[in-house]
């Protein structure tokens, strides 16, 4: 995925229009959700891609989504504009809700935009991996209200203690993130001094945690100190499978598929 170069280098955004866009390069989201939902035939179904960015799910070679029945809601205005240019027959909605990294000038707790449609599938790939549990609970509650009869909401999350690639990678998902942040800093020509051993030890029994700006760890608290908008670089949220099950008791929790690191939480309309 691409980062926001200007933000990462510390350019101060005073308004949304000063922000560099985050344009996702991730692919295979359709394959992932088709597998998790046990259904690859999405033609004729209304699809809401929540936090869908530029609509990469449509680029998946296996996608059976009918673009005219595709809606994308995202807090990144430029991503929405870009997606609309490429897929003008889809429906693109910019949602000016606050998000630590993706929309630091947005409105806190803004309700979802009104939509006339109900959706057969609502998917959110790697969206609640960047939000607080309060945001996730609020948004999932509102999204559930947009499900059609027999509809399903599927969203991903990252379990910090899960080992995604045993035999190929030695650590768990949280260690992978710490090492990845160091790699990314090196690619930018920066040195990042992360206290890996200390962070791993503080995280080891956590049900959930947030890693802010690569080095600031918040364990089971949303009491994040104030960061100026230009300092809001990354916020990676991790939730254990057990914690997600506790928050959403009706949900089915599925392990990662497609060689990915993200679990899937599926909530079907009751
Ligand atoms: C890591 S990217 C993943 C993008 C896309 N789902 C993909 O797989 O390519 C996270 C996306 O979620 C969006 N996002 C974050 N918080 C959001 C919110 N509260 N409502 C809607 N979109 C949100 C971001 O703007 C960003 O496009």
């Amino acid at each position: 995925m691409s980062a926001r170069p200007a933000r990462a280098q510390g350019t101060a955004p005073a308004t949304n229009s000063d922000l560099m866009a985050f344009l996702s390069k991730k692919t295979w989201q359709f394959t992932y959700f088709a597998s998790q939902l046990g259904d690859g035939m999405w033609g004729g179904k209304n699809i809401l891609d929540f936090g869908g960015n530029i609509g990469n799910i449509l680029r998946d070679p296996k996608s059976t989504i009918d673009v005219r029945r595709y809606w994308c809601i995202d807090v990144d205005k430029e991503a929405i504009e870009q997606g609309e240019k490429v897929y003008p027959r889809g429906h693109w909605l910019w949602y000016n809700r606050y998000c630590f990294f993706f929309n630091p000038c947005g409105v806190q707790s803004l309700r979802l935009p009104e939509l006339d449609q109900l959706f057969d599938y609502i998917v959110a790939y790697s969206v609640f991996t960047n939000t607080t549990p309060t945001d996730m609970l609020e948004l999932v509650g509102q999204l559930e209200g947009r499900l059609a009869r027999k509809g399903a909401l599927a969203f991903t999350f990252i379990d910090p203690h899960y080992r995604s690639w045993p035999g190929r990678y030695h650590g768990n998902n949280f260690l992978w993130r710490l090492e990845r942040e160091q790699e990314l800093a090196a690619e930018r020509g920066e040195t990042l001094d992360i206290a890996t051993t200390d962070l791993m030890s503080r995280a080891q029994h956590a049900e959930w945690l947030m890693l802010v700006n690569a080095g600031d760890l918040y364990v089971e608290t949303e009491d994040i100190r104030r960061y100026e908008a230009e300092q809001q670089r990354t916020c990676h949220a991790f939730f254990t499978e057990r914690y997600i099950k506790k928050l959403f008791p009706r949900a089915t929790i599925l392990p990662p598929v497609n060689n990915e690191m993200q679990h899937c939480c599926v909530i079907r309309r009751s």
Side-chain angles (χ1 to χ4, degrees):
M1 299 208 177
S2 65
R4 280 197 194 116
R7 295 287 319 288
Q9 286 158 20
T11 307
T15 66
N16 279 313
S17 57
D18 292 338
L19 293 172
M20 290 288 288
F22 174 86
L23 304 180
S24 170
K25 291 185 178 155
K26 169 85 180 90
T27 47
W28 300 105
Q29 292 90 332
F30 180 84
T31 303
Y32 175 92
F33 283 121
S35 167
Q36 298 290 29
L37 290 164
D39 176 17
M41 304 305 290
W42 293 21
K45 294 186 165 93
N46 283 354
I47 308 300
L48 171 58
D49 190 8
F50 184 71
N53 199 261
I54 57 172
N56 279 344
I57 195 169
L58 298 169
R59 286 201 300 133
D60 186 325
K62 300 235 169 99
S63 171
T64 55
I65 297 172
D66 175 350
V67 178
R68 288 163 303 185
R69 287 175 164 249
Y70 172 84
W71 277 257
C72 179
I73 294 182
D74 202 287
V75 299
D76 191 313
K77 194 162 189 272
E78 204 173 318
I80 285 289
E81 286 167 358
Q82 178 88 12
E84 188 161 28
K85 258 189 222 153
V86 180
Y87 298 103
R89 285 190 296 167
H91 310 267
W92 302 87
L93 285 99
W94 176 50
Y95 175 30
N96 190 20
R97 180 175 170 124
Y98 170 85
C99 179
F100 183 88
F101 169 62
F102 294 99
N103 197 16
C105 302
V107 181
Q108 294 272 1
S109 296
L110 185 69
R111 280 194 70 79
L112 274 184
E114 286 303 326
L115 289 170
D116 295 334
Q117 291 68 29
L118 291 178
F119 296 94
D120 301 293
Y121 291 141
I122 300 178
V123 295
Y125 190 94
S126 198
V127 178
F128 302 121
T129 53
N130 301 281
T131 66
T132 61
T134 299
D135 262 336
M136 173 169 65
L137 273 166
E138 246 180 68
L139 289 164
V140 167
Q142 291 179 38
L143 289 169
E144 273 189 82
R146 305 293 168 95
L147 284 174
R149 205 168 61 84
K150 297 194 178 164
L153 161 65
F155 66 87
T156 66
F157 66 95
I158 300 181
D159 184 327
H161 311 306
Y162 189 80
R163 288 171 194 264
S164 294
W165 305 286
R168 277 201 296 129
Y169 177 70
H170 60 286
N172 61 24
N173 286 337
F174 183 58
L175 181 62
W176 183 87
R177 172 48 58 189
L178 295 176
E179 293 184 348
R180 181 72 186 134
E181 292 294 339
Q182 269 158 327
E183 277 171 22
L184 290 170
E187 283 168 21
R188 295 192 300 267
E190 294 167 13
T191 328
L192 189 60
D193 209 5
I194 295 184
T196 305
T197 311
D198 173 53
L199 296 181
M200 286 297 291
S201 137
R202 285 174 54 210
Q204 69 179 319
H205 301 300
E207 284 205 297
W208 67 274
L209 52 96
M210 288 185 291
L211 182 69
V212 174
N213 290 349
D216 297 348
L217 180 63
Y218 295 87
V219 177
E220 295 175 5
T221 176
E222 293 188 13
D223 202 5
I224 293 180
R225 79 168 167 81
R226 190 177 143 68
Y227 296 82
E228 295 304 326
E230 71 272 17
Q231 292 172 343
Q232 296 185 199
R233 294 195 303 272
T234 55
C235 175
H236 292 283
F238 297 82
F239 306 106
T240 62
E241 196 176 324
R242 209 167 70 130
Y243 184 66
I244 292 286
K245 189 74 198 164
K246 207 163 24 172
L247 292 185
F248 307 106
R250 273 199 323 106
T252 304
I253 311 294
L254 299 162
V257 290
N258 211 27
N259 203 24
E260 313 228 1
M261 70 192 303
Q262 310 215 8
H263 277 69
C264 193
C265 175
V266 179
I267 302 177
R268 295 190 186 268
R269 184 164 158 190
S270 48

